[in-house]
Amino acid sequence: RPEDEAAHRAFISKLSDDDLRMRFFGTVRRDFDHKDMARFTQIDYDREMAFIATATGEGGLAETLGVVRTATKPDNSEAEFAIVVRSDQKGTGLGSVLFRKIIDYTRERGTHHLKGQTLVENKAMQGLSRKFGFEIKLNPDEERVDMVLDFSKNPGQNQFHRFNICPR
């Protein structure tokens, strides 16, 4: 939602340089302008979805711990995902929860394939993808790894309920 811009800025400020590089596939500035932030916070719900994990922070305000999003082709044949968890939240299981949430959402909307890319060095993302049944293939031309989940091969069930995940 547009009103999430300040919380999203705070979230980005708490990502390490390496986490930003892994998410955006290269070095990026931390000071995203309003136009960039609008792309993150004002989505087209017919083709996009974002789920945000939050916790109550200082002063009782919600703070963002992690975000997962998809962009779906108009024919619903495939969706591409992106996920990032705040650096200080790594190892808590939050990445698994967010990933399961977007997998379940994409499956329930009848999408055929969920796809993503990661840098070759991002072994954690590759491991998480394998855990959820994704096929992992090296794309040497782009020095990236392609991850694909074919829903006809992986029906799966939702098994994570520990975090408060809200659609945004």
Side-chain angles (χ1 to χ4, degrees):
R1 298 179 300 197
E3 59 267 27
D4 292 330
E5 184 173 334
H8 207 66
R9 277 190 192 285
F11 169 67
I12 289 170
S13 76
K14 293 184 179 181
L15 294 174
S16 71
D17 290 342
D18 198 47
D19 286 339
L20 278 170
R21 186 177 60 79
M22 294 287 191
R23 166 60 179 90
F24 294 103
F25 295 57
T27 304
V28 295
R29 298 182 349 248
R30 289 183 176 279
D31 58 337
F32 289 97
D33 63 21
H34 174 70
K35 182 176 140 188
D36 292 326
M37 294 307 292
R39 254 185 327 117
F40 296 136
T41 60
Q42 299 174 35
I43 64 175
D44 171 4
Y45 286 103
D46 289 333
R47 295 194 42 218
E48 299 173 280
M49 179 53 76
F51 293 101
I52 299 176
T54 62
T56 304
E58 293 181 29
L61 298 174
E63 61 180 316
T64 302
L65 305 178
V67 178
V68 64
R69 58 183 65 240
T70 60
T72 305
K73 285 188 170 185
D75 68 358
N76 202 29
S77 62
E78 68 182 50
E80 185 171 352
F81 75 87
I83 184 170
V84 64
V85 172
R86 207 169 74 186
S87 302
D88 65 339
Q89 297 297 309
K90 301 267 176 146
T92 64
L94 181 56
S96 290
V97 173
L98 286 166
F99 210 25
R100 170 53 67 195
K101 184 72 175 175
I102 208 69
I103 289 168
D104 290 344
Y105 168 80
T106 307
R107 178 185 295 113
E108 289 169 13
R109 85 176 254 145
T111 307
H112 302 283
H113 298 93
L114 182 58
K115 298 181 175 189
Q117 288 188 329
T118 193
L119 297 174
V120 171
E121 65 200 76
N122 193 345
K123 302 299 183 193
M125 186 68 241
Q126 294 170 49
L128 187 61
S129 295
R130 272 191 197 91
K131 173 181 170 180
F132 287 105
F134 282 73
E135 287 184 43
I136 310 295
K137 293 182 184 172
L138 177 63
N139 183 337
D141 296 336
E142 296 185 31
E143 298 182 12
R144 295 189 179 152
V145 172
D146 295 323
M147 302 164 291
V148 179
L149 181 61
D150 181 341
F151 289 116
S152 69
K153 295 179 183 177
N154 298 291
Q157 296 293 320
N158 189 348
Q159 55 183 306
F160 300 100
H161 302 285
R162 202 173 96 203
F163 294 93
N164 180 24
I165 312 293
C166 305
R168 290 281 206 259

